[in-house]
Amino acid sequence: MRSHLLILLISLLVLKSESINCDENSHTSDLRVFHINSQCSPFKTSASWEDTLLQDKARFLYLSSLAAAKKSSVPIASGRAIVQSPTYIVRANIGTPAQPMLVALDTSNDAAWIPCSGCVGCSSSVLFNPSKSSSSRTLQCQAPQCKQVPNPSCTVKKSCGFNMTYGGSAIEAYLTQDTLTLANDVIPNYTFGCINKASGSSLPAQGLMGLGRGPLSLISQTQNLYQSTFSYCLPNSKSGNFSGSLRLGPKFQPMRIKTTPLLKNPRRSSLYYVNLVGIRVGNKIVDIPTSALAFDPATGAGTIFDSGTVYTRLVEPAYVAVRDEFRRRVKNANATSLGGFDTCYSGSVVYPSVTFMFAGMNVTLPTDNLLIHSSAGNLSCLAMAAAPTNVNSVLNVIASMQQQNHRVLIDVPNSRLGISRETCT
């Protein structure tokens, strides 16, 4: 009898986990964050490791170009030049009455744009219709926001148009203001780009929400409401039912959290730089040249946190040092390669820990953040890679896989980034 009750209980728990409410939010200013392969996402992909690494390379090249840019008006893009699906999405309601959209979450981007009705070349069947929103209005050429978009132009109707590239795509849009509703928060007069023409296949299908520090980012437009503070917890992609959260504003943020100072690159202030001072494998701090980790605004060198890159990329001297020590500590096993991963093992292996040492805090990666496992066979690989060698790369990127199941706090007023362990379900 007890065994039957146990089986029934397990079945009920499984049933409950498989029938989650995709529209539910936990409390005010707290949005659900979904991985693209969750059951709440219409953008599911079957990308292989090789595909994901290629996407990451495109993203990395974009971030490197941002870091070294001499102008603040670099074309706004997320750099996913191969597929149009983002890694993480959130639900945003736009207009009055609200029109729901699933927009890509991007911590290294400054702006928001949405595909609008009548768009030529937009891939999504879900388009925002400004004519059905009583709170929508088109911004005119003289609006100050028109000076903050790339390649602004004045249309025949004197509205503010602009065009830009996005990975392998190009878009034409016009600036619009409307009511944005996030969870239970209503944000009037939110400025975003309304896309009316698109080409290429790199666009997140239902739009983009930038969480950088630029003037048109969500964080900048909602300073009075959210005080330039937010945190996110990214769900693990292994379970389709897992969802994380985007928590906006200083309320409900973790009280006890390790932090490190945020650094600012005046040439690209939206990127969230931190001071990575060393990396420990097992109990050994590996020998990495100081120049490989040093922050230099002039060249864009340093380390950033990014939600759009999947696997952490380290400049080659840093990665080689970490990889070689990792291999040395794996006993009685020879490393093999799989796709772009060069440190893979089969069977039962004891792996060393890896700790990122930031100024003021250390973060030791759990196994789930450190290794990627092959779906075919019993192969496990170190889930990091070297920066591409065909560019003058100086940027280290702490990517989403290494951030999963951690609460990452961005506190701009106090210029700090915090991390604490949290199961993002």
Side-chain angles (χ1 to χ4, degrees):
M1 183 66 177
R2 287 186 177 180
S3 62
H4 290 159
L5 288 174
L6 180 60
I7 292 172
L8 177 61
L9 178 60
I10 292 173
S11 299
L12 289 172
L13 289 173
V14 170
L15 181 62
K16 182 179 179 182
S17 69
E18 291 178 348
S19 57
I20 60 174
N21 184 348
C22 297
D23 297 322
E24 182 184 28
N25 286 305
S26 55
H27 55 69
T28 302
S29 305
D30 199 344
L31 282 75
R32 300 277 292 281
V33 175
F34 299 109
H35 190 273
I36 55 166
N37 289 325
S38 79
Q39 71 178 44
C40 294
S41 167
F43 310 124
K44 296 179 180 64
T45 69
S46 56
S48 66
W49 289 6
E50 290 83 356
D51 292 336
T52 304
L53 278 174
L54 286 173
Q55 296 162 22
D56 263 10
K57 182 178 180 180
R59 172 81 177 183
F60 182 87
L61 294 175
Y62 162 72
L63 292 172
S64 294
S65 71
L66 288 187
K70 294 183 178 180
K71 298 180 180 179
S72 59
S73 58
V74 176
I76 299 169
S78 110
R80 298 183 71 84
I82 297 172
V83 296
Q84 60 189 77
S85 293
T87 306
Y88 293 99
I89 53 177
V90 296
R91 185 178 299 276
N93 292 305
I94 305 171
T96 308
Q99 300 176 42
M101 308 289 287
L102 289 171
V103 295
L105 180 67
D106 194 337
T107 58
S108 297
N109 203 298
D110 285 342
W113 41 258
I114 301 293
C116 290
S117 57
C119 177
V120 177
C122 288
S123 63
S124 177
S125 60
V126 179
L127 303 173
F128 173 66
N129 191 339
S131 67
K132 292 186 176 180
S133 171
S134 62
S135 51
S136 177
R137 73 183 185 98
T138 301
L139 292 187
Q140 300 300 300
C141 303
Q142 67 271 22
Q145 294 92 333
C146 198
K147 298 178 181 179
Q148 298 167 343
V149 295
N151 307 312
S153 62
C154 200
T155 69
V156 175
K157 295 181 179 180
K158 303 299 182 182
S159 60
C160 178
F162 65 95
N163 65 82
M164 67 185 198
T165 58
Y166 179 93
S169 298
I171 69 171
E172 294 179 11
Y174 58 92
L175 274 185
T176 297
Q177 280 189 339
D178 208 333
T179 298
L180 172 68
T181 304
L182 300 174
N184 295 324
D185 293 336
V186 177
I187 303 161
N189 303 319
Y190 187 71
T191 303
F192 60 94
C194 213
I195 301 176
N196 52 25
K197 186 177 181 180
S199 62
S201 58
S202 305
L203 305 178
Q206 293 186 27
L208 182 80
M209 185 167 71
L211 292 173
R213 288 178 281 188
L216 292 182
S217 73
L218 175 73
I219 301 308
S220 295
Q221 290 196 57
T222 59
Q223 285 185 24
N224 291 337
L225 179 62
Y226 298 136
Q227 299 173 42
S228 300
T229 303
F230 67 95
S231 71
Y232 57 88
C233 195
L234 300 179
N236 191 304
S237 60
K238 291 193 300 182
S239 171
N241 293 342
F242 277 18
S243 65
S245 68
L246 171 64
R247 192 166 296 160
L248 298 164
K251 290 184 179 180
F252 307 112
Q253 301 297 354
M255 299 298 293
R256 295 182 179 180
I257 188 168
K258 298 181 292 185
T259 64
T260 187
L262 277 174
L263 308 176
K264 194 169 184 178
N265 178 352
R267 296 185 175 185
R268 190 57 179 178
S269 60
S270 60
L271 298 179
Y272 292 112
Y273 278 91
V274 292
N275 187 10
L276 179 63
V277 297
I279 302 175
R280 189 170 63 223
V281 178
N283 58 5
K284 180 181 179 181
I285 299 175
V286 297
D287 188 14
I288 299 174
T290 303
S291 59
L293 302 180
F295 174 62
D296 185 353
T299 63
T303 301
I304 67 168
F305 273 70
D306 178 53
S307 64
T309 309
V310 179
Y311 304 114
T312 287
R313 294 267 185 168
L314 301 173
V315 296
E316 190 172 28
Y319 175 73
V320 169
V322 171
R323 178 200 66 190
D324 289 352
E325 182 61 22
F326 189 91
R327 289 177 175 178
R328 191 183 72 81
R329 288 177 173 269
V330 176
K331 306 295 185 183
N332 304 317
N334 294 320
T336 60
S337 297
L338 179 65
F341 297 102
D342 62 7
T343 303
C344 304
Y345 300 92
S346 60
S348 179
V349 177
V350 178
Y351 297 98
S353 62
V354 173
T355 301
F356 291 128
M357 305 172 68
F358 302 100
M361 73 174 185
N362 292 342
V363 178
T364 299
L365 298 176
T367 302
D368 282 348
N369 299 81
L370 184 61
L371 301 171
I372 184 168
H373 306 284
S374 172
S375 57
N378 58 352
L379 204 64
S380 298
C381 300
L382 178 64
M384 300 181 192
T389 56
N390 61 338
V391 295
N392 184 25
S393 176
V394 293
L395 193 65
N396 301 297
V397 179
I398 308 300
S400 64
M401 182 175 177
Q402 282 64 50
Q403 299 178 46
Q404 288 174 358
N405 286 330
H406 289 79
R407 172 72 51 185
V408 179
L409 170 69
I410 304 292
D411 181 356
V412 175
N414 294 303
S415 193
R416 61 179 188 150
L417 181 148
I419 299 179
S420 63
R421 289 289 304 278
E422 181 177 325
T423 302
C424 304
T425 59

